[in-house]
Amino acid sequence: MQRIGVFICWCGSNIAATVDVEKVSEVIKQEKGVVFATNYQYMCSENGQQIIKNAIKEYNLTGIVIGSCSPRMHEATFRKAAQAAGLNPYMVEVANIREHCSWIHKDRAEATEKAIILVRTAIAKVLLNTPLAEGESPVTKRALVIGGGIAGIQTALDIAEAGFEVDIVEKNATIGGRMAQIDKTFPTLDCSACILTPKMVDCAQNEKIDILSYSEIESVQGFVGNFTVTIRKKARYVDENKCTGCKVCMQYCPSKKGLNEFNMNMNTRTAIYIPFAQAIPNVAVIDPEQCIKLKTGKCGVCKLKCSAGAINYDMKDEFIERKYGAIVVATGFKPIDLDNFNEYAYKDSKDVITSLELERLMNAAGPTNGVLLRPSDNAHPKDITFIQCVGSRDVSGCGKPYCSKICCMYTAKHAMLIREKYPDTRVHVFYIDVRTPGKNYDEFYRRAVEQYDVDYIKGMVGKVFPMANGKLLVQGSNLLDNEQIFIESDLVVLATAIEPEPSVRKIATLLATSIDTNNFLTEAHPKLRPVESPTAGIYLAGVCQGPRDIPETVSMASACAAKVIGLLVKDKLKTNPCIALTNENMCNGCSQCANVCAYGAISYIEKEFRLGGGKTEVRRVSYVNPAVCQGCGACTVTCPSGAIDLKGFSSKQIMSEVETICKK
Amino acid sequence: MQEVENKEFIPTIVAFCCNWCSYAGADLAGTSRLEYPANVKIIRVPCSCRVNPMFILKAFQSGADGVILCGCHPGDCHYMTGNYYTRRRMSLLFSFLNYLGIEKERTRVEWVSAAEGARFSMVMNDFAAKIKELGENKRLQDLRIKGDR
Ligand SMILES: Cc1cc2nc3c(=O)[nH]c(=O)nc-3n(C[C@H](O)[C@H](O)[C@H](O)COP(=O)(O)OP(=O)(O)OC[C@H]3O[C@@H](n4cnc5c(N)ncnc54)[C@H](O)[C@@H]3O)c2cc1C
Ligand code: SF4
Ligand code: SF4
């Protein structure tokens, strides 16, 4: 037999002035299952809580209902009080007779009657409550960072700083990401390598950080606190522990025609190479597509020349399995392909380049050693035209509908750097809008216009025509003067839209987290949980979540690290007990529930059932992972067999509430 | 039955509110002392997507004259996509109920954020007035339930 206690709060006069609390407790005393009912001035006060605790003990209550303010205010308080008196905290229900009653009604009789119904409804529910216990799951105190750009680097450094082990898995042969390719950085114009490479070295030297370069994620199992990840360490044909980074092999390798990805394919490299001088790890890698030995069996020069004996042509991909408590995705971006933009003649002319290519052309370690020469004939360009928003803010379907956010600033940077170094060049910039919010950003852009005399033209470019004299004719509109203009240019630079690194799709699938229509990873809440993914234990740093520059990427990375540290310091995770539960006897394994679960909380297990007569049957039934389920209830409604229910908000409980309200 | 003689008809209205947005919006309506009729009674659910069509059938069967479901605005669901499920399920259910003779006006889905106390009260006033106009719902009512009152 259930023994319910009911406690009606006056909330001073907040409730008592409109609701006849005395009458409510008198009427409620007569309800089935109720063995005790009282009212008091402030149920949430020390005294009020003591009344609850005493009654629980004295009347041996199996459940309680408090008629008071909103459960969003004091449900936790009353649950604690119940627990202190030995009652399961989930045997508590709150009837909201303040916000939903006394405060919105004036007629005392009407409000009293409503309060009675609300309390009755709560009683109807609590009669069907079951004791629930918060679950616990252990936490593996190690983090995984996928992607070793500035986002991944900063996250790893911060996590390691707090004393936790962290692995960086980077698909390329070195960490550094796009920032390593950039020449100078806005808004301060300090050299990118000078601020990035010390951080890369810190990663390499930090004993808490393990860099798994030239590696990718193969599979992910588990859930928050308990991920098991298989990492594929791709064969680099060079022993990382032996290679000293002396580069002798690169001098002798006869296969020299590989495109240098680091320099945006603007020059070539040998088949065995170190991506750039400050690479971390500073270890060579052999491109198997290009290596003569690996392709034909002949050659083997590098092995002969390598005094460290680091070369191993028989190396195979290696699989490493590790356990992690948290995973950070920091896979960054790439500029979009320009196949859809023939009007800019990118494919037709070597002198139409992207902004990232320009970064390499301006960089001292780039293909021209930092001298700005136009690719077609190595002449110094005199007229340079920049086109902004190439593929950004494009709703035609050719490009991306969003603003890439960084292009206005880096174009102003490029324009200024060029005008500074080559004052005799004329620099034109076609823009739709100049968007420069950010500390010292608008000032930066204004410097380009006012101090460096960059010719900013509001308008779009219709077409770029390669001309017979080797120049490029840029035809555009000047919206401010409402006229067509033509600019003869030596070099055209396209501020190309950026998009998420394509492998993020696979990563999102492996991690059971979501991506938006533009392939950016989705955050758990656009305003309040911007660095968490919707999947517990998975965090997002940098451009993989949306376009952003370095300062914002670094802030986001540190925020991620803080979240990860907050998770890893815990020994055990408490889990919300109001979650879905499958009745395996009713489940037919149809997969409907797993399809609607936004958190990937549902999987399927094979289970043996007794059929009677000594016979058994193995069936596939759904299993809700209590550490992952958030308790929304979507699955419970979807299940055609009615096999899944939500603890704390069960179908029976809600039906019973409905019935009580409708009873006339 | 209530219409008999000059007794005023007071409809029975069930409002399902999701914990994160609309229940909080209802709380805000209370805090701001924004009145709406006392015959609107709220049931708290974690997400609007927890509301099984069965609950709505049950309500009409038990004598409800109107049922309203409130959730977070599209795109703001605490559980990301829950309210999209709600929207799809309910538009289907409501047209089906309409077919069964429970007028579309008796059922409604509304998005109310935690900041929209005024909107919550406005929606409830409006819905309650519409239901009052429509009069008592007699469809689906389970006679046994009516019998033992
Ligand atoms: C032309 C240009 C100029 C710019 N100039 C500036 C500037 O002056 N100032 C400024 O603040 N910002 C500038 N930016 C922006 C800046 O480059 C980015 O904000 C920054 O690089 C973002 O860092 P990230 O770590 O998020 O991404 P990335 O730098 O792209 O790093 C991602 C890393 O993850 C790795 N990765 C990707 N997928 C996987 C996978 N599946 N598995 C393992 N590893 C993976 C990649 O190889 C890469 O190393 C510029 C951008 C461009 C295009
Ligand atoms: S074996 Fe391959 S990498 Fe080594 S030198 Fe020959 S071609 Fe170059
Ligand atoms: S209640 Fe929601 S989060 Fe939990 S398993 Fe069901 S759909 Fe997934």
Side-chain angles (χ1 to χ4, degrees):
Chain A
M1 255 305 276
Q2 294 263 35
R3 304 171 58 82
I4 308 298
V6 180
F7 307 84
I8 308 296
C9 183
W10 302 13
C11 195
S13 63
N14 280 305
I15 294 173
T18 337
V19 170
D20 183 345
V21 288
E22 195 60 49
K23 182 170 174 198
V24 175
S25 46
E26 277 314 307
V27 172
I28 289 299
K29 257 187 200 149
Q30 317 304 321
E31 285 292 306
K32 233 173 103 185
V34 174
V35 295
F36 175 79
T38 187
N39 58 74
Y40 182 68
Q41 274 173 330
Y42 292 104
M43 285 317 315
C44 61
S45 68
E46 274 297 319
N47 281 344
Q49 292 187 49
Q50 199 53 50
I51 292 173
I52 298 175
K53 290 181 200 165
N54 291 345
I56 290 175
K57 288 186 190 141
E58 190 176 333
Y59 295 90
N60 207 1
L61 301 178
T62 58
I64 60 171
V65 168
I66 326 282
S68 61
C69 56
S70 170
R72 295 168 51 89
M73 291 283 298
H74 276 310
E75 190 175 54
T77 315
F78 298 131
R79 280 189 173 156
K80 266 197 204 122
Q83 191 163 30
L87 181 67
N88 183 285
Y90 292 88
M91 298 306 288
V92 177
E93 288 297 329
V94 176
N96 186 343
I97 59 168
R98 191 178 74 177
E99 285 84 345
H100 294 188
C101 185
S102 68
W103 275 353
I104 48 166
H105 306 312
K106 290 211 178 89
D107 185 294
R108 196 169 156 85
E110 202 179 56
T112 305
E113 194 195 319
K114 179 172 180 179
I116 291 171
I117 296 178
L118 292 181
V119 174
R120 265 194 198 132
T121 307
I123 295 170
K125 184 176 184 199
V126 85
L127 281 170
L128 295 167
N129 279 20
T130 44
L132 300 176
E134 282 161 356
E136 266 188 355
S137 66
V139 178
T140 307
K141 293 182 179 284
R142 189 187 189 102
L144 167 66
V145 175
I146 306 173
I150 181 62
I153 290 172
Q154 187 64 46
T155 311
L157 285 172
D158 286 0
I159 295 172
E161 183 72 19
F164 294 104
E165 312 225 283
V166 46
D167 296 350
I168 301 177
V169 169
E170 165 58 56
K171 74 170 166 44
N172 289 343
T174 172
I175 57 170
R178 297 290 172 196
M179 188 175 168
Q181 294 179 289
I182 298 172
D183 180 39
K184 301 212 164 41
T185 54
F186 63 74
T188 44
L189 297 183
D190 36 4
C191 128
S192 191
C194 312
I195 54 178
L196 174 68
T197 51
K199 280 191 184 283
M200 292 166 60
V201 173
D202 285 351
C203 280
Q205 288 176 348
N206 194 314
E207 51 189 34
K208 297 274 180 198
I209 301 180
D210 191 3
I211 301 172
L212 297 154
S213 62
Y214 213 52
S215 300
E216 277 172 48
I217 304 300
E218 199 62 25
S219 76
V220 181
Q221 246 105 48
F223 48 89
V224 57
N226 288 285
F227 295 105
T228 304
V229 179
T230 310
I231 300 157
R232 176 200 289 267
K233 230 176 155 348
K234 295 176 279 188
R236 82 194 280 153
Y237 306 102
V238 177
D239 187 332
E240 264 184 72
N241 299 319
K242 291 187 184 155
C243 174
T244 59
C246 71
K247 299 193 178 122
V248 168
C249 53
M250 291 165 68
Q251 287 165 24
Y252 290 96
C253 175
S255 172
K256 296 182 190 305
K257 296 248 170 75
L259 291 176
N260 186 340
E261 304 90 344
F262 184 71
N263 280 335
M264 300 307 291
N265 299 345
M266 288 188 295
N267 65 351
T268 54
R269 56 155 174 74
T270 46
I272 187 164
Y273 67 102
I274 294 179
F276 58 96
Q278 302 97 327
I280 297 284
N282 190 14
V283 170
V285 55
I286 296 181
D287 180 344
E289 303 290 309
Q290 192 193 339
C291 167
I292 303 164
K293 171 81 181 171
L294 289 173
K295 276 169 68 183
T296 68
K298 297 192 191 93
C299 189
V301 169
C302 52
K303 186 165 187 166
L304 287 175
K305 295 292 173 186
C306 179
S307 55
I311 315 288
N312 174 5
Y313 303 120
D314 301 322
M315 208 180 250
K316 295 263 158 353
D317 288 5
E318 203 186 312
F319 293 90
I320 307 170
E321 191 182 281
R322 287 212 180 141
K323 289 192 177 302
Y324 301 101
I327 300 177
V328 179
V329 189
T331 47
F333 70 97
K334 71 180 246 313
I336 62 165
D337 291 334
L338 290 168
D339 299 347
N340 289 340
F341 296 91
N342 291 334
E343 64 267 38
Y344 300 126
Y346 177 71
K347 291 265 144 66
D348 309 331
S349 167
K350 278 185 152 184
D351 298 334
V352 180
I353 61 172
T354 68
S355 297
L356 202 50
E357 288 164 4
L358 180 69
E359 293 281 352
R360 296 316 301 151
L361 279 184
M362 312 245 290
N363 188 272
T368 54
N369 299 321
V371 186
L372 182 57
L373 301 174
R374 58 177 202 175
S376 61
D377 60 0
N378 282 343
H380 276 285
K382 287 281 176 272
D383 274 283
I384 303 179
T385 302
F386 286 85
I387 307 174
Q388 290 201 169
C389 286
V390 172
S392 296
R393 306 168 67 195
D394 180 337
V395 287
S396 72
C398 293
K400 304 289 176 184
Y402 51 83
C403 165
S404 294
K405 200 171 176 179
I406 51 176
C407 326
C408 288
M409 280 298 284
Y410 70 58
T411 299
K413 167 183 83 174
H414 293 155
M416 262 191 277
L417 288 172
I418 291 172
R419 291 276 301 141
E420 171 79 34
K421 210 162 162 191
Y422 310 101
D424 60 335
T425 43
R426 287 167 298 271
V427 175
H428 318 275
V429 179
F430 279 94
Y431 69 97
I432 306 178
D433 295 294
V434 175
R435 296 178 164 178
T436 50
K439 189 168 162 182
N440 294 328
Y441 279 19
D442 207 53
E443 294 89 325
F444 183 83
Y445 153 66
R446 282 209 306 273
R447 240 165 64 210
V449 180
E450 290 160 12
Q451 195 176 326
Y452 286 91
D453 220 7
V454 176
D455 175 28
Y456 268 79
I457 306 158
K458 186 173 176 74
M460 307 227 263
V461 168
K463 205 163 165 59
V464 176
F465 301 93
M467 301 196 297
N469 64 2
K471 291 194 167 213
L472 297 155
L473 186 66
V474 179
Q475 172 234 321
S477 52
N478 180 342
L479 289 179
L480 297 183
D481 296 340
N482 202 11
E483 59 177 14
Q484 276 250 42
I485 49 172
F486 294 89
I487 298 176
E488 264 192 37
S489 312
D490 302 300
L491 188 69
V492 170
V493 185
L494 308 178
T496 310
I498 58 174
E499 67 181 352
E501 154 60 42
S503 63
V504 79
R505 278 192 147 267
K506 183 183 158 204
I507 302 271
T509 313
L510 288 175
L511 296 175
T513 191
S514 40
I515 43 180
D516 65 19
T517 47
N518 295 312
N519 284 353
F520 287 111
L521 286 158
T522 322
E523 62 284 358
H525 190 284
K527 292 133 225 168
L528 301 176
R529 294 169 70 194
V531 305
E532 294 157 79
S533 87
T535 308
I538 312 275
Y539 304 89
L540 316 173
V543 180
C544 65
Q545 184 266 355
R548 49 175 51 77
D549 57 21
I550 296 162
E552 276 186 34
T553 297
V554 171
S555 321
M556 190 173 189
S558 289
C560 263
K563 287 280 171 195
V564 169
I565 294 162
L567 174 66
L568 297 189
V569 288
K570 294 185 185 138
D571 293 322
K572 294 241 155 67
L573 294 179
K574 275 219 159 45
T575 57
N576 168 20
C578 295
I579 51 167
L581 181 71
T582 314
N583 179 339
E584 292 166 347
N585 290 317
M586 290 166 80
C587 173
N588 64 10
C590 71
S591 296
Q592 301 267 36
C593 53
N595 288 342
V596 295
C597 179
Y599 302 94
I602 304 181
S603 55
Y604 293 87
I605 49 170
E606 300 279 332
K607 228 178 155 162
E608 197 169 314
F609 292 88
R610 274 198 223 127
L611 293 175
K615 281 195 198 141
T616 61
E617 171 194 54
V618 175
R619 272 198 291 122
R620 176 177 181 269
V621 292
S622 90
Y623 167 74
V624 180
N625 187 329
V628 184
C629 173
Q630 305 287 309
C632 64
C635 55
T636 62
V637 182
T638 298
C639 177
S641 340
I644 293 201
D645 209 348
L646 193 66
K647 292 191 271 183
F649 293 92
S650 73
S651 297
K652 275 205 173 133
Q653 286 176 306
I654 299 174
M655 293 280 220
S656 179
E657 289 179 85
V658 167
E659 239 181 297
T660 312
I661 288 178
C662 297
K663 203 179 267 169
K664 287 192 177 139
Chain B
M1 297 208 165
Q2 275 99 331
E3 310 105 303
V4 200
E5 284 154 37
N6 39 17
K7 214 174 164 195
E8 194 194 359
F9 165 59
I10 299 171
T12 302
I13 296 170
V14 179
F16 291 98
C17 291
C18 79
N19 184 45
W20 305 97
C21 290
S22 46
Y23 194 92
D27 280 359
L28 182 60
T31 317
S32 328
R33 312 293 199 276
L34 298 166
E35 290 184 48
Y36 54 89
N39 55 334
V40 175
K41 312 268 178 352
I42 296 171
I43 294 180
R44 182 164 71 129
V45 285
C47 175
S48 60
C49 77
R50 173 64 188 101
V51 177
N52 197 311
M54 295 295 212
F55 303 165
I56 292 164
L57 293 176
K58 180 74 172 180
F60 285 118
Q61 210 181 24
S62 315
D65 301 297
V67 178
I68 180 164
L69 232 89
C70 301
C72 313
H73 284 272
D76 283 350
C77 175
H78 181 81
Y79 302 100
M80 300 187 300
T81 47
N83 50 5
Y84 295 132
Y85 294 132
T86 306
R87 186 158 67 184
R88 261 182 286 165
R89 283 174 189 155
M90 293 308 147
S91 62
L92 216 77
L93 175 72
F94 294 170
S95 18
F96 186 61
L97 286 178
N98 191 48
Y99 174 75
L100 290 182
I102 296 182
E103 301 91 325
K104 268 212 157 142
E105 294 73 25
R106 294 194 186 273
T107 48
R108 210 190 261 192
V109 171
E110 288 279 358
W111 312 127
V112 180
S113 80
E116 294 176 327
R119 182 173 150 72
F120 187 85
S121 137
M122 187 202 67
V123 164
M124 290 306 155
N125 276 309
D126 182 67
F127 188 62
K130 289 266 156 62
I131 300 296
K132 195 160 182 176
E133 253 168 59
L134 282 170
E136 195 181 358
N137 170 53
K138 297 199 175 82
R139 288 283 172 156
L140 265 194
Q141 282 200 26
D142 184 329
L143 295 175
R144 277 167 303 151
I145 291 176
K146 290 211 95 179
D148 62 32
R149 70 194 184 96

